[in-house]
Amino acid sequence: SESAQPSVRSAAGIALKNALTAKDETCQEQHSQRWLQVDEGTRSQVKQGVLVTLGSDNRQATMAAAQAIAAITATELPQGQWQDVITTLLQNVSTTSTGLKIASLQTIGFICESINPDILATQSNLILTAVIQGATSEEPSQEVRYAAITALLNSLEFVRQNFENEGERNVIMQTVCEATQSPDSNVQAASFECLVRIMQLYYDKMRFYMEKALYGLTVIGMKHEDEKIALQAIEFWSTVCDEEIELQIEEETREPGQPAERDNYQFAKTTLPQVLPTLLFLLTKQDEDADEDEWNVSMAAATCLSLLAQTIGNDIVAPVIPFVEQNIRNPDWHHREAAVMAFGSILDGPDPN
């Protein structure tokens, strides 16, 4: 109810969500069955109520409603019920109300995050169209773009069929790459996070985009003064290394004469002259006041350098050793520590000899 206090409305929505969800599978099944046993009239009234709340001016209430809708959808949609919820949300995204757009995109993101991708596969085209529409550079509201990029991040797993289509894949990649240049730091960080997930899921499709845009965008992103953006850009290259280490393991364990299932494009080795100097520079960005358990740019760069060493092996030694020699006696402790971190990070990967 619009007349209730914002905190009360938010608490009511969260209580509804908690009544429908649980981390334990057995408890989740019990919650789901209890909800499905409620008479249809009452359930319809509740669903209509949370949908209407998405249009509220109160962000606390809309966020709680979005989570409640996702919880109900995760219970009903697998049973073939509430089939029109996605259609309703997509219609909301096409309205002129910025608040309703944001709330509906957040809801779509929560639904994509919480439900089996196979269940939403038949509606992936509609969802993707709406999300891309909200994320495009033509969207005037950066809040809408952020909600859309976040929804895209959560939907990437079930748009596999769209990624198989070159035209649709180009649109997705262009939208995400353009969003990395948004004036809003939240949109930028979420876009780089999208690129990380895309690399995890669709490495095989990335060769063209790496050459055209991703090399440059991510190296620039790693140098960004906003740490949350830099961390995601560094994570992108850590993910590249993870994928290529896995491909190397597949190659080593493949039976003689058996063809490779996937190609290793050696992105890490190809871009070493651009990525490595950036990582070494970032090692010097330690904060002496930071908590030792706090993840920061320097730690992320060290982790990425370690993965890079495991990926390309002996080729990492020649460009890193001069950095160590030049900085190990530097009067600035940041550089001395960076030299030690650099040396320690490349011990695992190259031939010990």
Short mmCIF file of all heavy atoms in Angstrom, two decimals, residues 80-115:
data_model
loop_
_atom_site.label_atom_id
_atom_site.label_comp_id
_atom_site.label_asym_id
_atom_site.label_seq_id
_atom_site.Cartn_x
_atom_site.Cartn_y
_atom_site.Cartn_z
N GLY A 80 4.24 -24.22 -15.11
CA GLY A 80 3.41 -23.75 -16.22
C GLY A 80 2.43 -22.66 -15.82
O GLY A 80 1.48 -22.38 -16.56
N GLN A 81 2.67 -22.02 -14.68
CA GLN A 81 1.78 -20.97 -14.20
C GLN A 81 2.44 -19.59 -14.32
O GLN A 81 3.66 -19.48 -14.46
CB GLN A 81 1.38 -21.24 -12.75
CG GLN A 81 0.68 -22.59 -12.56
CD GLN A 81 0.24 -22.81 -11.13
OE1 GLN A 81 -0.25 -21.92 -10.46
NE2 GLN A 81 0.43 -24.04 -10.64
N TRP A 82 1.63 -18.56 -14.24
CA TRP A 82 2.04 -17.16 -14.37
C TRP A 82 2.89 -16.96 -15.63
O TRP A 82 3.93 -16.33 -15.62
CB TRP A 82 2.79 -16.68 -13.14
CG TRP A 82 2.56 -15.20 -12.90
CD1 TRP A 82 1.62 -14.41 -13.48
CD2 TRP A 82 3.28 -14.35 -11.99
NE1 TRP A 82 1.70 -13.12 -13.01
CE2 TRP A 82 2.71 -13.06 -12.10
CE3 TRP A 82 4.34 -14.55 -11.11
CZ2 TRP A 82 3.16 -11.97 -11.35
CZ3 TRP A 82 4.78 -13.47 -10.37
CH2 TRP A 82 4.20 -12.19 -10.47
N GLN A 83 2.39 -17.50 -16.74
CA GLN A 83 3.13 -17.44 -18.01
C GLN A 83 3.25 -16.02 -18.56
O GLN A 83 4.16 -15.73 -19.35
CB GLN A 83 2.41 -18.33 -19.05
CG GLN A 83 2.40 -19.81 -18.70
CD GLN A 83 3.71 -20.49 -19.01
OE1 GLN A 83 4.61 -19.91 -19.60
NE2 GLN A 83 3.85 -21.75 -18.59
N ASP A 84 2.35 -15.14 -18.16
CA ASP A 84 2.37 -13.79 -18.74
C ASP A 84 3.21 -12.80 -17.95
O ASP A 84 3.26 -11.62 -18.28
CB ASP A 84 0.94 -13.25 -18.87
CG ASP A 84 0.22 -13.16 -17.53
OD1 ASP A 84 0.72 -13.75 -16.54
OD2 ASP A 84 -0.84 -12.51 -17.47
N VAL A 85 3.91 -13.25 -16.90
CA VAL A 85 4.67 -12.30 -16.08
C VAL A 85 5.79 -11.65 -16.88
O VAL A 85 6.01 -10.43 -16.77
CB VAL A 85 5.23 -12.99 -14.81
CG1 VAL A 85 6.20 -14.12 -15.15
CG2 VAL A 85 5.91 -11.97 -13.90
N ILE A 86 6.49 -12.42 -17.70
CA ILE A 86 7.58 -11.85 -18.50
C ILE A 86 7.03 -10.83 -19.49
O ILE A 86 7.60 -9.74 -19.67
CB ILE A 86 8.37 -12.95 -19.25
CG1 ILE A 86 8.99 -13.93 -18.25
CG2 ILE A 86 9.43 -12.34 -20.14
CD1 ILE A 86 10.05 -13.32 -17.35
N THR A 87 5.91 -11.16 -20.12
CA THR A 87 5.28 -10.23 -21.07
C THR A 87 4.93 -8.92 -20.40
O THR A 87 5.17 -7.83 -20.94
CB THR A 87 4.02 -10.86 -21.68
OG1 THR A 87 4.36 -12.10 -22.30
CG2 THR A 87 3.39 -9.93 -22.71
N THR A 88 4.36 -9.01 -19.19
CA THR A 88 4.00 -7.80 -18.44
C THR A 88 5.23 -6.95 -18.13
O THR A 88 5.22 -5.72 -18.30
CB THR A 88 3.30 -8.18 -17.12
OG1 THR A 88 2.13 -8.96 -17.41
CG2 THR A 88 2.92 -6.93 -16.32
N LEU A 89 6.30 -7.59 -17.70
CA LEU A 89 7.52 -6.87 -17.37
C LEU A 89 8.13 -6.22 -18.61
O LEU A 89 8.62 -5.09 -18.55
CB LEU A 89 8.54 -7.82 -16.73
CG LEU A 89 8.16 -8.36 -15.35
CD1 LEU A 89 9.11 -9.48 -14.94
CD2 LEU A 89 8.17 -7.25 -14.30
N LEU A 90 8.08 -6.92 -19.73
CA LEU A 90 8.62 -6.36 -20.97
C LEU A 90 7.81 -5.16 -21.43
O LEU A 90 8.36 -4.20 -21.98
CB LEU A 90 8.66 -7.43 -22.06
CG LEU A 90 9.57 -8.64 -21.76
CD1 LEU A 90 9.53 -9.64 -22.90
CD2 LEU A 90 11.00 -8.20 -21.50
N GLN A 91 6.50 -5.20 -21.23
CA GLN A 91 5.67 -4.05 -21.55
C GLN A 91 6.04 -2.85 -20.68
O GLN A 91 6.09 -1.70 -21.14
CB GLN A 91 4.19 -4.40 -21.36
CG GLN A 91 3.65 -5.36 -22.41
CD GLN A 91 2.25 -5.87 -22.08
OE1 GLN A 91 1.75 -5.68 -20.96
NE2 GLN A 91 1.62 -6.52 -23.04
N ASN A 92 6.35 -3.14 -19.41
CA ASN A 92 6.76 -2.06 -18.49
C ASN A 92 8.05 -1.39 -18.96
O ASN A 92 8.23 -0.18 -18.80
CB ASN A 92 6.99 -2.62 -17.08
CG ASN A 92 5.70 -3.04 -16.40
OD1 ASN A 92 4.61 -2.73 -16.86
ND2 ASN A 92 5.83 -3.76 -15.31
N VAL A 93 8.96 -2.19 -19.51
CA VAL A 93 10.24 -1.65 -19.97
C VAL A 93 10.04 -0.67 -21.12
O VAL A 93 10.86 0.23 -21.33
CB VAL A 93 11.19 -2.80 -20.39
CG1 VAL A 93 12.48 -2.27 -21.00
CG2 VAL A 93 11.52 -3.67 -19.18
N SER A 94 8.94 -0.83 -21.85
CA SER A 94 8.67 0.05 -23.00
C SER A 94 7.92 1.32 -22.63
O SER A 94 7.64 2.15 -23.49
CB SER A 94 7.85 -0.73 -24.05
OG SER A 94 8.56 -1.87 -24.48
N THR A 95 7.60 1.51 -21.35
CA THR A 95 6.86 2.70 -20.93
C THR A 95 7.79 3.91 -20.84
O THR A 95 9.01 3.80 -20.97
CB THR A 95 6.22 2.49 -19.55
OG1 THR A 95 7.25 2.33 -18.56
CG2 THR A 95 5.32 1.26 -19.54
N THR A 96 7.21 5.07 -20.60
CA THR A 96 8.00 6.30 -20.47
C THR A 96 8.41 6.55 -19.02
O THR A 96 9.18 7.47 -18.75
CB THR A 96 7.18 7.51 -20.97
OG1 THR A 96 5.94 7.57 -20.25
CG2 THR A 96 6.89 7.37 -22.47
N SER A 97 7.90 5.75 -18.10
CA SER A 97 8.22 5.94 -16.68
C SER A 97 9.60 5.34 -16.37
O SER A 97 9.80 4.13 -16.45
CB SER A 97 7.17 5.26 -15.80
OG SER A 97 7.61 5.19 -14.45
N THR A 98 10.53 6.21 -16.03
CA THR A 98 11.90 5.74 -15.74
C THR A 98 11.90 4.79 -14.55
O THR A 98 12.57 3.75 -14.57
CB THR A 98 12.82 6.94 -15.45
OG1 THR A 98 12.89 7.76 -16.61
CG2 THR A 98 14.22 6.48 -15.07
N GLY A 99 11.15 5.14 -13.50
CA GLY A 99 11.11 4.30 -12.30
C GLY A 99 10.58 2.91 -12.59
O GLY A 99 11.12 1.91 -12.10
N LEU A 100 9.52 2.83 -13.40
CA LEU A 100 8.92 1.53 -13.74
C LEU A 100 9.87 0.72 -14.62
O LEU A 100 9.98 -0.51 -14.47
CB LEU A 100 7.58 1.74 -14.44
CG LEU A 100 6.79 0.47 -14.79
CD1 LEU A 100 6.52 -0.36 -13.54
CD2 LEU A 100 5.47 0.85 -15.48
N LYS A 101 10.57 1.40 -15.53
CA LYS A 101 11.57 0.72 -16.36
C LYS A 101 12.64 0.07 -15.50
O LYS A 101 12.98 -1.11 -15.66
CB LYS A 101 12.26 1.72 -17.30
CG LYS A 101 11.53 2.03 -18.58
CD LYS A 101 12.44 2.93 -19.42
CE LYS A 101 11.77 3.35 -20.70
NZ LYS A 101 12.65 4.22 -21.51
N ILE A 102 13.19 0.86 -14.58
CA ILE A 102 14.27 0.37 -13.72
C ILE A 102 13.81 -0.81 -12.89
O ILE A 102 14.46 -1.86 -12.84
CB ILE A 102 14.78 1.50 -12.79
CG1 ILE A 102 15.47 2.59 -13.61
CG2 ILE A 102 15.73 0.95 -11.73
CD1 ILE A 102 15.78 3.85 -12.83
N ALA A 103 12.64 -0.68 -12.25
CA ALA A 103 12.13 -1.74 -11.39
C ALA A 103 11.84 -3.02 -12.19
O ALA A 103 12.12 -4.13 -11.73
CB ALA A 103 10.85 -1.27 -10.68
N SER A 104 11.32 -2.86 -13.39
CA SER A 104 10.99 -4.03 -14.22
C SER A 104 12.26 -4.73 -14.73
O SER A 104 12.33 -5.96 -14.77
CB SER A 104 10.11 -3.61 -15.39
OG SER A 104 8.88 -3.08 -14.92
N LEU A 105 13.28 -3.94 -15.08
CA LEU A 105 14.55 -4.52 -15.51
C LEU A 105 15.23 -5.24 -14.35
O LEU A 105 15.81 -6.32 -14.52
CB LEU A 105 15.46 -3.44 -16.07
CG LEU A 105 15.10 -2.93 -17.48
CD1 LEU A 105 15.83 -1.63 -17.79
CD2 LEU A 105 15.43 -3.99 -18.54
N GLN A 106 15.16 -4.65 -13.15
CA GLN A 106 15.70 -5.31 -11.97
C GLN A 106 14.99 -6.64 -11.73
O GLN A 106 15.62 -7.65 -11.40
CB GLN A 106 15.56 -4.40 -10.74
CG GLN A 106 16.51 -3.22 -10.74
CD GLN A 106 16.22 -2.24 -9.62
OE1 GLN A 106 15.08 -2.14 -9.13
NE2 GLN A 106 17.24 -1.51 -9.19
N THR A 107 13.68 -6.64 -11.92
CA THR A 107 12.89 -7.86 -11.72
C THR A 107 13.31 -8.93 -12.72
O THR A 107 13.49 -10.11 -12.36
CB THR A 107 11.39 -7.56 -11.88
OG1 THR A 107 11.02 -6.48 -11.02
CG2 THR A 107 10.56 -8.79 -11.53
N ILE A 108 13.46 -8.53 -13.98
CA ILE A 108 13.90 -9.48 -15.01
C ILE A 108 15.26 -10.07 -14.63
O ILE A 108 15.50 -11.27 -14.76
CB ILE A 108 13.97 -8.79 -16.39
CG1 ILE A 108 12.56 -8.45 -16.88
CG2 ILE A 108 14.68 -9.68 -17.40
CD1 ILE A 108 12.52 -7.56 -18.11
N GLY A 109 16.16 -9.21 -14.13
CA GLY A 109 17.47 -9.68 -13.70
C GLY A 109 17.37 -10.69 -12.58
O GLY A 109 18.05 -11.73 -12.61
N PHE A 110 16.53 -10.40 -11.58
CA PHE A 110 16.36 -11.34 -10.46
C PHE A 110 15.77 -12.67 -10.93
O PHE A 110 16.18 -13.74 -10.47
CB PHE A 110 15.45 -10.73 -9.39
CG PHE A 110 16.07 -9.61 -8.60
CD1 PHE A 110 15.33 -8.50 -8.23
CD2 PHE A 110 17.40 -9.66 -8.21
CE1 PHE A 110 15.89 -7.47 -7.50
CE2 PHE A 110 17.98 -8.64 -7.47
CZ PHE A 110 17.22 -7.53 -7.12
N ILE A 111 14.82 -12.60 -11.87
CA ILE A 111 14.20 -13.83 -12.39
C ILE A 111 15.25 -14.66 -13.12
O ILE A 111 15.35 -15.88 -12.92
CB ILE A 111 13.02 -13.48 -13.32
CG1 ILE A 111 11.85 -12.91 -12.52
CG2 ILE A 111 12.56 -14.72 -14.10
CD1 ILE A 111 10.71 -12.37 -13.37
N CYS A 112 16.03 -14.01 -13.97
CA CYS A 112 17.06 -14.72 -14.74
C CYS A 112 18.11 -15.36 -13.81
O CYS A 112 18.66 -16.42 -14.11
CB CYS A 112 17.75 -13.77 -15.71
SG CYS A 112 16.68 -13.18 -17.04
N GLU A 113 18.36 -14.70 -12.69
CA GLU A 113 19.35 -15.18 -11.75
C GLU A 113 18.86 -16.39 -10.97
O GLU A 113 19.63 -17.25 -10.57
CB GLU A 113 19.71 -14.04 -10.79
CG GLU A 113 20.86 -14.32 -9.86
CD GLU A 113 21.20 -13.13 -8.98
OE1 GLU A 113 20.31 -12.29 -8.74
OE2 GLU A 113 22.35 -13.03 -8.53
N SER A 114 17.54 -16.47 -10.76
CA SER A 114 17.01 -17.46 -9.82
C SER A 114 16.34 -18.66 -10.47
O SER A 114 16.00 -19.62 -9.77
CB SER A 114 16.00 -16.78 -8.88
OG SER A 114 14.89 -16.27 -9.61
N ILE A 115 16.16 -18.65 -11.78
CA ILE A 115 15.39 -19.71 -12.41
C ILE A 115 16.25 -20.50 -13.39
O ILE A 115 17.23 -19.98 -13.93
CB ILE A 115 14.14 -19.09 -13.13
CG1 ILE A 115 13.02 -20.12 -13.26
CG2 ILE A 115 14.51 -18.52 -14.48
CD1 ILE A 115 11.68 -19.51 -13.62
#
